[in-house]
């Protein structure tokens, strides 16, 4: 018969246990403050926490994992330190063995490491985490499912290869089941993970579709009051729809219109933006899909969206109008009727970033390039001088200048509203030629326009142009000059006043 250990001996172990619990709890608390991170790192905290992950006391294990997650979450260097300390295999093993509190903390560490870079996410996958996390998606506890789904999303977002490794582990059907769970936070994280999976390739998006995701996601656009869930649902559907006509049609068949257009007015700015991205990703594929959006009231809804937003939030709406207008003159006309051109022109004035201006310029070009009526609508909004200003501005990016040149060329070649073209007579030679050509096409058959061209000073400015003999510009100028009596042309030619003064000097009376 063994004799009981003296109380003094047990007290030593109890004190050691309390010290470990106190230590990991304090470290976990300290790790929440970014100011403490560097000090903890210098004190060698990684080496001290690692053995505590295998402690016999569950609360010590849990708090050690929590502290590691907070450290790894802080920056890439600390995440790399977790990998270098060979902690990941230990966490993965424990995912299948420990209680739900530890599982949540372990999944948090895996997410915190994976989020920083594709290399770190690959290290997480190489440790066997994908399979272990997928098993956690089948847990009863929604918190464990949520932590696992979150980590899976952070792995998948980096690349198609990493997303495929998660798919191969069997994550997609279980994520679709998580979307159907009653907890909103779990629904959000699962929808976000599906979005991260679907975004990379048509094949991955098809895998998400084949698991039945669209049928469960689409009704949530109208069926939930949770703004964060609506954000993720719009994002996931947009990531699916962007890849192909077939996938976009599957999303449309789930009856997302006109509900998604109503979300363009949602109080939550991220819901609005993600809804606009979803509309854009559908509109870009075919004239039929663009027409479907227009029939649902999409043109007016997008114009209102552009008017009410700014910056990068405005961008998907701007591009949607361009995609709709690009397909046909009829679709472009719906954008004009919906007052899309003034909205785009205002965006051109208000926005400061070149990539947004470039998208706006492109969209204006798509509206105006179809017929004289379309070009007139653009000209009447005073867009042409603004496009020219962006073309000649020294601080405009090359992409912006290229798009401005193409838009101007396309609109000018259709424009017969000559007063709108007159300010462009002095534009750079690569645009000037097209401007003068339009006058050469219209003036010979229009007496009123010929008179107005003289009274507005257009004919005089034309004579000041420096056109190379034999050039197309020279040909167009001669065509215009031939519309007028020779003495009128001579009167507005440079140096003619000197000729008249010389005649006065030589006149003897």
């Amino acid at each position: 018969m063994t004799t009981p250990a003296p109380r003094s001996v047990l007290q030593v172990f109890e004190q050691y246990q309390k010290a470990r619990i106190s230590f990991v709890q304090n470290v976990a608390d300290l790790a929440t403050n970014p100011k403490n991170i560097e000090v903890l790192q210098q004190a060698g905290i990684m080496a001290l926490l690692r053995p505590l992950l295998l402690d016999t006391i569950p609360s010590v294990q849990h708090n050690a994992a929590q502290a590691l997650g907070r450290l790894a979450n802080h920056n890439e260097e600390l995440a790399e330190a977790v990998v270098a300390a060979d902690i990941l295999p230990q966490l993965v093993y424990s995912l299948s063995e420990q209680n739900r509190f530890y599982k949540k903390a372990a999944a948090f560490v895996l997410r915190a490491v994976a989020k920083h870079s594709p290399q770190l996410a690959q290290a997480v996958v190489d440790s066997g985490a994908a399979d272990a996390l997928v098993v956690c998606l089948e847990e009863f506890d929604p918190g464990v499912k949520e932590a696992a789904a979150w980590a899976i999303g952070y792995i998948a977002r980096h690349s198609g290869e990493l997303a495929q490794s998660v798919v191969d582990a069997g994550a997609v059907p279980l994520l679709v089941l998580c979307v159907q769970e009653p907890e909103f936070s779990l629904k959000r994280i699962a929808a976000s993970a599906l979005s991260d999976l679907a975004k990379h390739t048509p094949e991955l998006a098809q895998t998400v579709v084949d698991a039945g995701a669209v049928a469960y996601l689409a009704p949530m656009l109208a069926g939930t009051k949770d703004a964060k869930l609506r954000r993720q649902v719009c994002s996931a559907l947009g990531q699916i729809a962007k890849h192909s006509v077939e996938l976009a049609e599957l999303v449309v068949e789930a009856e997302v219109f006109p509900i998604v257009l109503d979300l363009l007015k949602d109080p939550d700015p991220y819901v609005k933006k993600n809804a606009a991205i979803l509309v854009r990703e559908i509109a870009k594929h075919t004239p039929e899909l663009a027409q479907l959006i227009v029939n649902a009231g999409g043109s007016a809804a997008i114009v209102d969206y552009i008017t009410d937003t700014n910056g990068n939030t405005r961008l998907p709406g701007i591009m949607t109008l361009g995609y709709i207008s690009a397909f046909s003159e009829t679709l472009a006309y719906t954008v004009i009727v919906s007052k899309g051109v003034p909205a785009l022109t205002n965006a051109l004035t208000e926005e400061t970033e070149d990539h947004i201006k470039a998208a706006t310029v492109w969209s204006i070009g798509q509206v105006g390039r179809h017929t004289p009526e379309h070009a007139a609508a653009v000209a009447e909004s005073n867009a042409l001088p603004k496009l020219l200003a962006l073309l000649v501005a020294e601080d405009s990016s090359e992409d912006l200048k290229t798009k401005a040149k193409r838009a101007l060329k396309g609109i000018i070649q259709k424009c017969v509203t000559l007063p709108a073209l007159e300010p462009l007579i002095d534009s750079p030679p690569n645009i000037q030629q097209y401007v003068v050509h339009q006058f050469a096409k219209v003036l010979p058959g229009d007496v009123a326009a010929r008179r107005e061209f003289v009274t507005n000073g257009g004919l005089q400015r034309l004579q000041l142009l420096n056109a190379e003999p034999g050039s197309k510009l020279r040909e167009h100028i001669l065509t215009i000059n031939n519309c007028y009596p020779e003495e009128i042309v001579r009167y507005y030619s440079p140096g003619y006043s000197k000729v008249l003064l010389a005649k006065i000097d030589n006149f003897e009376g």
Side-chain angles (χ1 to χ4, degrees):
M1 184 176 174
T2 57
T3 56
R7 181 68 187 155
S8 58
V9 175
L10 292 175
Q11 276 183 328
V12 172
F13 284 92
E14 286 171 5
Q15 286 168 356
Y16 178 48
Q17 181 177 314
K18 287 176 183 176
R20 297 199 310 280
I21 292 171
S22 175
F23 175 74
V24 288
Q25 284 177 341
N26 285 328
V27 170
D29 290 340
L30 288 168
T32 59
N33 188 340
K35 293 177 183 177
N36 298 329
I37 300 294
E38 192 176 342
V39 179
L40 288 169
Q41 190 179 2
Q42 289 170 353
I45 192 63
M46 289 294 176
L48 296 170
L49 287 174
R50 187 175 185 274
L52 296 176
L53 291 170
L54 298 174
D55 199 274
T56 54
I57 308 299
S59 64
V60 173
Q61 295 177 353
H62 170 247
N63 279 291
Q66 196 77 35
L68 277 171
R70 288 170 183 170
L71 289 164
N73 198 45
H74 182 71
N75 63 38
E76 192 170 342
E77 185 187 346
L78 285 162
E80 287 170 351
V82 171
V83 175
D86 211 25
I87 289 169
L88 296 183
Q90 212 166 302
L91 290 168
V92 170
Y93 172 76
S94 301
L95 274 175
S96 60
E97 300 292 323
Q98 299 293 342
N99 64 36
R100 60 197 172 100
F101 301 106
Y102 184 85
K103 287 178 180 180
K104 282 190 274 189
F108 170 51
V109 180
L110 295 171
R111 166 166 66 91
V113 172
K115 81 170 193 177
H116 292 290
S117 71
Q119 292 76 23
L120 285 167
Q122 187 63 56
V124 171
V125 171
D126 292 342
S127 71
D131 291 316
L133 288 168
V134 168
V135 171
C136 287
L137 290 177
E138 297 184 88
E139 285 278 334
F140 177 75
D141 185 82
V144 175
K145 290 181 185 176
E146 184 183 323
W150 212 341
I152 286 168
Y154 271 69
I155 293 168
R157 68 175 49 180
H158 290 292
S159 70
E161 292 77 16
L162 285 163
Q164 188 62 53
S165 68
V166 170
V167 170
D168 293 342
V172 175
L174 293 169
L175 287 170
V176 173
L177 285 173
C178 288
V179 167
Q180 301 167 60
E181 294 284 352
E183 294 82 12
F184 281 114
S185 59
L186 179 55
K187 286 176 184 283
R188 287 197 295 262
I189 301 301
S192 175
L194 289 170
S195 178
D196 286 328
L197 283 163
K199 73 180 182 181
H200 297 289
T201 66
E203 293 76 20
L204 285 165
Q206 189 66 54
T207 302
V208 172
V209 168
D210 290 344
V214 174
Y216 293 107
L217 290 169
M220 292 181 192
L221 291 175
T224 178
K225 294 180 180 179
D226 187 89
K228 290 179 181 177
L229 178 56
R230 290 200 300 275
R231 289 180 199 172
Q232 301 303 341
V233 169
C234 285
S235 174
L237 292 174
Q239 297 292 6
I240 292 167
K242 75 179 183 181
H243 291 291
S244 69
V245 177
E246 293 76 20
L247 288 167
E249 286 174 345
L250 279 168
V251 172
V252 169
E253 285 165 12
E255 298 180 357
V256 297
F257 290 101
I259 299 160
V260 71
L261 298 177
D262 295 335
L263 295 181
L264 296 173
K265 292 185 171 68
D266 197 277
D268 186 285
Y270 296 102
V271 173
K272 287 169 72 167
K273 184 180 180 183
N274 289 355
I277 291 170
L278 173 54
V279 176
R280 179 191 70 191
E281 299 300 1
I282 293 169
K284 73 182 184 181
H285 288 292
T286 65
E288 292 76 19
L289 286 169
Q291 186 67 61
L292 184 145
I293 291 168
V294 169
N295 291 348
S299 291
I302 290 289
V303 170
D304 288 344
Y305 173 82
I306 290 174
T307 306
D308 296 340
T309 55
N310 54 56
N312 280 314
T313 305
R314 200 182 220 168
L315 185 58
I318 289 168
M319 293 179 71
T320 301
L321 292 186
Y323 284 129
I324 291 171
S325 301
F327 285 118
S328 72
E329 60 185 69
T330 307
L331 285 166
Y333 189 69
T334 66
V335 172
I336 292 170
V337 171
S338 302
K339 298 183 171 56
V341 178
L344 289 168
T345 307
N346 289 340
L348 208 56
T349 306
E350 294 165 3
E351 294 301 333
T352 55
E353 295 187 57
D354 273 11
H355 71 282
I356 301 173
K357 288 181 183 177
T360 310
V361 164
W362 173 77
S363 291
I364 290 171
Q366 297 306 316
V367 175
R369 68 181 176 82
H370 293 284
T371 69
E373 290 75 21
H374 291 76
V378 172
E380 286 163 11
S381 74
N382 199 34
L384 297 180
K386 291 173 182 175
L387 294 176
L388 180 61
L390 292 171
L391 175 63
V392 300
E394 290 184 8
D395 59 346
S396 290
S397 66
E398 285 305 311
D399 181 53
L400 178 53
K401 287 181 179 180
T402 302
K403 284 186 168 63
K405 180 184 172 184
R406 283 180 188 159
L408 278 167
K409 181 180 171 184
I411 296 163
I412 288 165
Q413 286 178 318
K414 295 292 182 182
C415 187
V416 294
T417 310
L418 298 187
L421 292 178
E422 281 185 25
L424 306 184
I425 289 175
D426 302 319
S427 49
N430 54 357
I431 296 299
Q432 194 175 63
Q433 172 188 322
Y434 300 106
V435 176
V436 176
H437 188 203
Q438 287 306 106
F439 283 99
K441 285 195 288 188
V442 176
L443 290 175
D446 192 331
V447 176
R450 290 203 296 272
R451 178 189 293 275
E452 192 175 0
F453 190 58
V454 172
T455 56
N456 288 348
L459 185 62
Q460 184 174 10
R461 289 164 65 201
L462 194 71
Q463 309 312 311
L464 297 172
L465 299 184
N466 186 18
E468 294 289 329
S471 66
K472 285 191 175 181
L473 179 59
R474 189 71 202 157
E475 285 177 29
H476 301 328
I477 292 171
L478 290 173
T479 301
I480 295 167
N481 287 347
N482 289 337
C483 297
Y484 296 95
E486 189 179 338
E487 58 268 28
I488 295 290
V489 176
R490 209 165 42 239
Y491 176 78
Y492 287 111
S493 297
Y496 186 65
S497 58
K498 292 180 181 177
V499 174
L500 289 177
L501 287 171
K503 285 187 177 183
I504 292 170
D505 292 341
N506 297 329
F507 185 69
E508 294 180 359

